[in-house]
Amino acid sequence: MKVAFVDLKAQYQSLKNEIDTAIRNVVEETAFIRGKYVEKFEKEYELRYGVKNCISIGNGTDGIYIALKMLGIGSGDEVITSACSWIATAETITQAGAKVVFADIEPDYYTIDPADIEKKITEKTRAIIPVHFYGQSAEMDKIMSIAGKRGLYVIEDCAQAHFAEYKGKKAGVIGNAGVFSFYPSKNLGAYGDAGCVITNDNDFAKKMRLYANHGSIDKVEHLFEGVNSRMDGLQASILSAKLPHVLEWNRKRNEKSELYMSLLSDVDKIILPKVRKECTHVFHLFVIRCQRRDELRNFLASKDIQTMIHYPKALPFLQAYKYLDHKKEDFPTAFIYQPEILSLPLYPELTYEEIRYVADSIREFYRNKSS
Ligand SMILES: *Cc1c(COP(=O)(O)O)cnc(C)c1O
């Protein structure tokens, strides 16, 4: 049996009519950049998310950059973020002109460790970017309390956590801003690049909206220089067609994850994901920690099961951050976890038989190894 890591075609087939109509509408009305479909999606996202402002942008990476810039963060400032994320979270700090400061992760949930944030704070620290990693929120109460005491801004990287909840609050509305990516394989995915920033602060929202569109208030006047980071109409229209289904898809991701967990619960060579108390996980990824990870991965590949690693190297150990001169002792948890993590196939349309086959194959691998 062949098991794909994700199957975006399965989702398209389940919504073919809605999506085809969504695309045709934009083309027939030539509403290509911004325009009525983009405004419609922003309003719908605000409503479903329960937030005052949704600012559509070109992609999630730009969202973090734009939020940092419009908070006035730049040269001479430091911004603390998680050692474990996609590089977008860190590179935007440098792009804004500030210094990237990494904090280690919590061993149970793989999100930024509040205790290590406190250790990394200096006179120059201006903001924290927690990442709601793999679909689960960082420890926001502690992060907000640290930020409150020190007067720091908090930008939540929600690229992997659409509609995840932390103690009854949605990820993205707890800090000063929440940034989302609608990259095709995210829990809510467009058919190309797209993203948004949400915030309840109307003035901040207004600045980000201007900055994302050349600082332009109309075709005549530009209040300041900005960037070109606009959502296009096709992406917005497709996202509007998909948005009503996200909660259902998140529920299915949870069901599939629970099935994996029950089928793998007695395999002592692996550590299953843990869900934080009073929080919901939206399982953007189903990540296990395992012994002999690379051997297991090859074995699964020989059985036609696709797996991935998110991410093969923690950010401080990348070539790109060699200049920070970090050693493994600086991030003990991130360092230990890096060679153990493996993301198993997971998407809402994955079948019971496929999950069973993946779980059986993992059991087979460890059975053969121990005998
Ligand atoms: C996908 C992702 C981003 C970047 O989003 P793009 O839309 O690809 O620019 C940022 N942070 C995290 C954690 C991501 O997973």
Side-chain angles (χ1 to χ4, degrees), residues 35-293:
K36 93 178 207 204
Y37 291 99
V38 175
E39 278 167 33
K40 178 168 171 280
F41 173 71
E42 287 178 341
K43 288 277 159 301
E44 289 166 353
Y45 207 70
E46 284 165 6
L47 209 68
R48 287 195 186 257
Y49 229 88
V51 66
K52 285 190 197 149
N53 304 280
C54 166
I55 301 110
S56 60
I57 39 168
N59 57 71
T61 308
D62 282 357
I64 304 171
Y65 171 74
I66 290 166
L68 285 167
K69 286 294 278 188
M70 293 302 98
L71 289 171
I73 289 164
S75 169
D77 298 333
E78 293 179 0
V79 178
I80 300 174
T81 194
S82 178
C84 293
S85 183
W86 175 236
I87 191 168
T89 321
E91 71 186 345
T92 44
I93 297 171
T94 314
Q95 275 164 25
K99 183 182 174 203
V100 184
V101 177
F102 292 113
D104 205 359
I105 53 169
E106 296 181 293
D108 281 345
Y109 308 109
Y110 318 133
T111 48
I112 192 166
D113 180 0
D116 204 36
I117 294 178
E118 290 205 273
K119 288 186 203 150
K120 301 291 166 66
I121 290 176
T122 72
E123 298 281 278
K124 294 178 176 169
T125 309
R126 295 282 311 282
I128 305 167
I129 310 183
V131 182
H132 304 316
F133 209 36
Y134 299 154
Q136 141 157 278
S137 172
E139 185 61 283
M140 290 308 288
D141 277 354
K142 287 189 186 160
I143 294 169
M144 292 310 291
S145 136
I146 294 167
K149 269 186 273 172
R150 308 277 192 144
L152 307 177
Y153 295 117
V154 175
I155 300 170
E156 299 174 63
D157 182 338
C158 308
Q160 304 191 353
H162 310 72
F163 293 89
E165 285 185 14
Y166 176 87
K167 300 189 180 172
K169 288 183 204 143
K170 287 198 194 72
V173 297
I174 304 167
N176 299 86
V179 179
F180 293 83
S181 165
F182 302 121
Y183 184 82
S185 58
K186 299 284 158 95
N187 285 30
L188 176 59
Y191 283 7
D193 275 313
C196 78
V197 185
I198 60 172
T199 180
N200 278 318
D201 179 337
N202 294 339
D203 289 337
F204 181 33
K206 203 170 156 194
K207 283 191 207 160
M208 291 195 284
R209 195 177 285 287
L210 288 168
Y211 191 72
N213 188 35
H214 305 288
S216 157
I217 40 171
D218 50 40
K219 293 253 154 93
V220 181
E221 188 61 271
H222 297 258
L223 287 188
F224 44 78
E225 290 179 334
V227 293
N228 175 0
S229 185
R230 302 174 298 213
M231 188 185 282
D232 66 59
L234 281 171
Q235 304 313 337
S237 187
I238 290 164
L239 287 168
S240 284
K242 286 184 161 201
L243 183 58
H245 303 278
V246 181
L247 293 182
E248 173 70 6
W249 290 330
N250 282 349
R251 197 180 58 70
K252 286 189 175 163
R253 285 173 182 273
N254 266 275
E255 269 175 28
K256 320 273 154 171
S257 300
E258 274 165 31
L259 187 54
Y260 267 131
M261 298 213 244
S262 68
L263 294 172
L264 292 168
S265 61
D266 59 343
V267 182
D268 61 1
K269 302 288 191 291
I270 65 180
I271 299 172
L272 294 165
K274 291 188 186 71
V275 180
R276 208 188 282 284
K277 275 210 189 77
E278 298 175 69
C279 300
T280 64
H281 199 313
V282 295
F283 287 100
H284 172 57
L285 295 166
F286 188 86
V287 179
I288 60 168
R289 287 170 63 182
C290 48
Q291 296 178 14
R292 317 159 108 116
R293 193 261 322 266

Side-chain angles (χ1 to χ4, degrees), residues 104 317 326-336:
D104 205 359
F317 308 125
H326 282 306
K327 292 169 223 34
K328 60 180 197 268
E329 300 82 51
D330 298 342
F331 305 97
T333 308
F335 188 78
I336 290 168

Side-chain angles (χ1 to χ4, degrees), residues 1-7 260 297 299-309 342-347 350 357-358:
M1 192 188 309
K2 193 179 162 84
V3 186
F5 186 73
V6 283
D7 181 1
Y260 267 131
R297 191 168 188 225
F299 178 76
L300 294 176
S302 76
K303 299 223 145 203
D304 250 347
I305 297 167
Q306 238 180 26
T307 57
M308 307 265 275
I309 298 169
L342 186 67
S343 310
L344 302 183
L346 183 67
Y347 53 92
L350 192 68
Y357 176 64
V358 175

